[in-house]
Amino acid sequence: MRIVMIGTGYVGLVSGACFADFGHEVVCVDKDQSKIDALLAGEIPIFEPGLDELVAKNVEAGRLAFTLDLAEALPGTDAVFIAVGTPSRRGDGHADLSYVYAAAEEMAPLLPEGVVVVDKSTVPVGTGDEVERIIRETAPDLEFSVASNPEFLREGAAIDDFKRPDRVVIGVNDEHAERVLAEIYRPLTRNESPLVVMSRRGAELTKYAANAFLATKIGFINEIADLCEKVGADVRDVAKGIGLDSRIGNRFLMPGPGYGGSCFPKDTLALLKTGQDYESPLRIIESVVASNDQRKRSMGRKVINALGGGDQHGKTVAVLGLTFKANTDDMRDSPAISVVQALQDGGIHVKAYDPEGMEQAKKVIDKVTYCEGPYEAMEGADAAVIVTEWDAFRALDLDRMKDLLKTPLLVDLRNLYSRTDVERHGFEYVAVGR
């Protein structure tokens, strides 16, 4: 089928490349000249494992193309996916839908008969209704459908998630849209990935509900980790003990410095605002958001307390990992931002290293010495702090670390190490929930 993908950000580019790999003909459209120029030159503007090879393969096969011209891309298309950003709106936390509605307005006079317009962006309940109204206002006689098809991609594992999903959710209000989307996703449903068909509003809410539930699991295990530290238990044992219960599951039960990234922070806020708009308060999600904000700030204090508490002016700390999770360069709402800020507020100088996120980090964290590797960051520092769970930090040379650090202190906010192993090398070891 012929597909147009509006937006070449994380969701649009991954989805477009994967659709092309299924054999569909895909054109990705973006207004950002520099992005399109880079893609046409074979450069990928985001870091996602395997994406550069996937894009190159499908461009070479003639199934994937990039353009600035929406009018050029739309003729003959079967489906148009809207995959533009929906950041939190300044001041009130609502999802900013201006890019979604602008895309609808621009495409409206250009759409071919029978086209299905699909919201791929994460949008609040009722957005599809407004997209349909906008198009209908410009093209009252056009036969078209509007559907919702939320994405459930994890940064760092997006290609595998797209090709081997737990489920594909489509929200439709007519049979034509269902048939078109079922055909687009036929390569997946042949592999027994379930196609879950529901109303358009149901699909819009499903995305927010899924992310809010996962954020709740993270917040829950982080608070249990704090309790474990007080009572002398090991949170890893507790997580295993509850995670083996099939009703609970073991995913998202790893304590750490709090959630961040492009989805959980903005989606939980947007869901809260939706609840308020419909006079249906979401008290549990309110608590999760507040708990996570506090969690990220408290991790900086945890490091300061490990250094001895009180006035730590003049000390230096090596921060290992800056992105909100491993295998991405995404710095949006990363816990590292709060950790570094708390250290700097305490008069501590920060040296930092991240395998992929350095350039993005420099845009949001200043007054930091950025280093070329973990050992350079640790040289002369009073402590090392693991903030992001990169594989590169899982087997550091502890003897070399001890020689480089002024004080053998490792604060492990991701529980990557065994206390016994670290202490055997003469370190003081501070972990989470242990």
Side-chain angles (χ1 to χ4, degrees), residues 64-98:
L64 181 61
F66 304 99
T67 183
L68 291 161
D69 190 346
L70 183 60
E72 174 188 277
L74 282 175
T77 191
D78 297 292
V80 182
F81 285 79
I82 301 175
V84 296
T86 54
S88 291
R89 196 164 63 191
R90 288 181 179 273
D92 62 6
H94 277 284
D96 182 351
L97 299 175
S98 58

Side-chain angles (χ1 to χ4, degrees), residues 7-38:
T8 59
Y10 184 82
V11 173
L13 190 55
V14 171
S15 300
C18 287
F19 279 142
D21 210 43
F22 292 161
H24 299 305
E25 183 182 344
V26 180
V27 180
C28 293
V29 182
D30 203 293
K31 288 184 172 296
D32 188 329
Q33 177 82 56
S34 62
K35 236 186 216 184
I36 294 298
D37 287 346

Side-chain angles (χ1 to χ4, degrees), residues 281-327:
L282 300 166
R283 302 303 185 199
I284 292 173
I285 309 306
E286 287 177 6
S287 297
V288 169
V289 171
S291 174
N292 191 66
D293 288 344
Q294 176 62 25
R295 180 72 177 179
K296 290 192 281 191
R297 290 193 294 269
S298 72
M299 291 297 100
R301 295 193 295 272
K302 187 180 185 76
V303 176
I304 292 173
N305 290 336
L307 286 166
D311 187 359
Q312 296 296 325
H313 276 75
K315 295 287 182 69
T316 297
V317 168
V319 171
L320 306 182
L322 296 168
T323 54
F324 85 95
K325 62 180 284 188
N327 297 319

